Amino acid sequence: MVERSVDDHIGRAILSPGIAERRPFVKRGRSLEVHLMRVVGHSLISTRKSLFVKQRRLMSELAQRDARAAHNRARPRQRVPADLEQSANRLAVIPSTATGSRARFDAWHDSARPVFAGRPPAPATIPGRPELSLFLFCSLVRCSVQGTSSFGQVRDERVEMATAATILHADLDAFYASVEQLLEPSLRGKPIAVGGGVVLAASYEAKAFGVYGGMSGQEARRLCPQLIFVGGHFSDYQRLGDAAIRVIGDFTPLVERISIDEAFADVAGCTHLFGTPAEIAAAIRGRVRTELGLAISVGVARTKHLAKIASQVAKPDGLVVVDPDAELGFLHELPVELMWGVGPVTRTRLDAIGVSTIGQLARLSERSLTRLLGPAAGEKLAALAWNRDPRQLTPHRRARSAGAQSALGRKPAIEQVIRPTLLHLADRVATRLRAKSRPGRTVTVRVRFADLKSVTRSMTLDAPVCTTVILASLAEKLVRATLADHPSEKTISLLAISVSHLEEHWDLALELPLGLADQALRPGSPIGMARWAADCAIDKVRDRFGWDAIGYGSAALEVVRSVPDDFRKLAEKDL
């Protein structure tokens, strides 16, 4: 039947119209080949032969599969312990995008049945999704499906973490200060700080006196009278940071860069090339030291959270590998401030209830943490305290929002402080959005008062925005609403703007001049178009002559920048 359909196709579709009017070709062998040669030439014979070769190969594979299926049905099934079969059944990895009909699951389950009968493990493939092949006895991934009403309707799917320590977190030690000491050897061994009015970064020699990043320059000099302040070489920071990440990329393509000087890497797939994860980490440290002259600390663990903590423990210039069998003993003895997401405010709240170590945090109930820190932070810290971190590495991740902030010290909450600061922040954010053609619909501001209490307000727009003046006006409106809700607060210490819900493909939509109250805040209005044109002209001037060549008057003249914009750009993620 298969051969007849192939011949019919050749006779009806491939031959010329005059020949196709005859009866379908059902001849076999040499006579058909001779006839084809006479009509359409020699080229069609090779096409027909290739079709028959593929046809015979397919029929052979089908026959072999039927024979294996018959053998499996005739063979008595070996007894498998109940607990082993239950464990094997839980290894069924069904992604949320592949949980279709029950028939698809049954077909996959039948193909996996010989594994439970004592035969050697063989890869099982979900029909229709050949890329989802897996070994059922894989020791690295386990899946437990809870709350299933049927095989095809999965309500709650939880994938447990790998059982091997293959996640690396690499962090360059005191990166900015180390680069300055590398460029100027006379500074090695001396306490130095990058910055001036504010300490942007400090060397380990300066940290020994209590100096840290973000501290005022006056306080730093009081703690360390011999402290040496140096200016930043921002282009060298970027160059050396990129070079260190490239060294990690030489070992594995699964690299997630989270800042200019640190990154995660998954080396599970390259141990057969470069050795164990510990040997790979040691090789990375050796190459960074030899090729770049910088020290880098590496932590190796089973999860991203624990790998980052291990690299912090390894500092300075060390390597810590956390054995999966002893990870809770290692984790619970550490101070709670090493956890991801525990800042000064959270640490103060935990100190108030006598929690100073991760082990003490782990013994608290999730309900207690939720009441103390809120539902999101409480649930997150309760899981991380037991090293439950299912996050996977995401190489080449793009930022979902663009933001900027400015620390003000202690300034009065008046218009002369708020307006220039917001315009400067909006200029930085909007310039990034325009450069990538990714305007956003949601504008968020954050106001921090003198007592370090922060308040956040946001609004979502009908049209995406990336115009500087419009963004600054929207942010000022939100800040005024925040101050109106807190009339007792007269001093602010920080202002921040962020834009989220970014558009991927965007075209500016023109709007009719209807005289609406918010006409000036609409990007497609005549005023909005004029402001857009002005921003584009400013961008072209800055691209040619530099950022400081042109700017908005109030932002350029009235804002005192304690942190250089070039330094802030190092922390900006790609949109």
Side-chain angles (χ1 to χ4, degrees), residues 301-318:
R302 190 172 54 91
T303 63
K304 293 174 67 175
H305 170 64
L306 192 57
K308 183 174 176 64
I309 289 180
S311 69
Q312 292 177 277
V313 175
K315 287 181 175 295
D317 194 15

Side-chain angles (χ1 to χ4, degrees), residues 181-449:
Q181 291 175 331
L182 177 67
L183 299 177
E184 183 55 56
S186 62
L187 297 177
R188 294 178 180 175
K190 298 179 181 179
I192 69 169
V194 180
V198 174
V199 177
L200 304 180
S203 65
Y204 281 107
E205 294 83 3
K207 290 180 180 179
F209 290 89
V211 180
Y212 57 88
M215 175 182 290
S216 67
Q218 182 178 3
E219 179 67 14
R221 287 189 178 91
R222 186 186 66 81
L223 295 175
C224 182
Q226 65 271 34
L227 183 65
I228 302 174
F229 277 91
V230 296
H233 293 78
F234 304 105
S235 60
D236 291 309
Y237 298 158
Q238 191 69 59
R239 174 179 60 85
L240 292 171
D242 293 342
I245 301 301
R246 283 195 296 270
V247 170
I248 303 174
D250 290 342
F251 292 87
T252 173
L254 299 179
V255 179
E256 178 184 343
R257 188 174 186 175
I258 58 177
S259 70
I260 188 175
D261 61 342
E262 61 178 323
F264 287 102
D266 189 346
V267 298
C270 59
T271 54
H272 61 293
L273 296 175
F274 305 109
T276 64
E279 294 172 343
I280 294 174
I284 291 174
R285 295 183 63 245
R287 282 190 55 185
V288 171
R289 170 68 74 177
T290 302
E291 299 175 13
L292 305 180
L294 297 173
I296 186 170
S297 297
V298 182
V300 183
R302 190 172 54 91
T303 63
K304 293 174 67 175
H305 170 64
L306 192 57
K308 183 174 176 64
I309 289 180
S311 69
Q312 292 177 277
V313 175
K315 287 181 175 295
D317 194 15
L319 168 63
V320 172
V321 179
V322 182
D323 182 51
D325 295 332
E327 60 187 16
L328 291 183
F330 168 81
L331 181 64
H332 287 176
E333 296 295 328
L334 298 175
V336 71
E337 56 265 23
L338 290 181
M339 293 185 66
W340 213 336
V342 177
V345 176
T346 302
R347 184 177 58 184
T348 301
R349 294 180 181 178
L350 293 175
D351 287 340
I353 61 174
V355 174
S356 60
T357 67
I358 300 177
Q360 294 173 340
L361 178 66
R363 287 188 286 271
L364 292 178
S365 65
E366 185 175 327
R367 179 178 299 180
S368 301
L369 285 175
T370 300
R371 287 198 303 265
L372 180 67
L373 306 175
E379 181 180 356
K380 174 185 175 182
L381 292 182
L384 293 180
W386 291 100
N387 197 32
R388 293 194 294 267
D389 184 11
R391 294 173 299 168
Q392 303 296 319
L393 265 70
T394 54
H396 312 295
R397 181 176 58 181
R398 299 173 65 185
R400 298 181 180 179
S401 63
Q405 66 180 26
S406 178
L408 305 175
R410 295 173 61 90
K411 295 292 183 65
I414 57 177
E415 181 178 344
Q416 291 79 358
V417 174
I418 295 174
R419 178 171 292 182
T421 302
L422 292 178
L423 183 58
H424 174 64
L425 296 177
D427 194 13
R428 288 170 48 196
V429 174
T431 300
R432 291 182 61 199
L433 298 177
R434 291 193 299 271
K436 298 295 184 179
S437 297
R438 297 197 66 193
R441 294 180 179 272
T442 301
V443 179
T444 305
V445 300
R446 181 162 62 97
V447 181
R448 191 176 68 190
F449 300 112

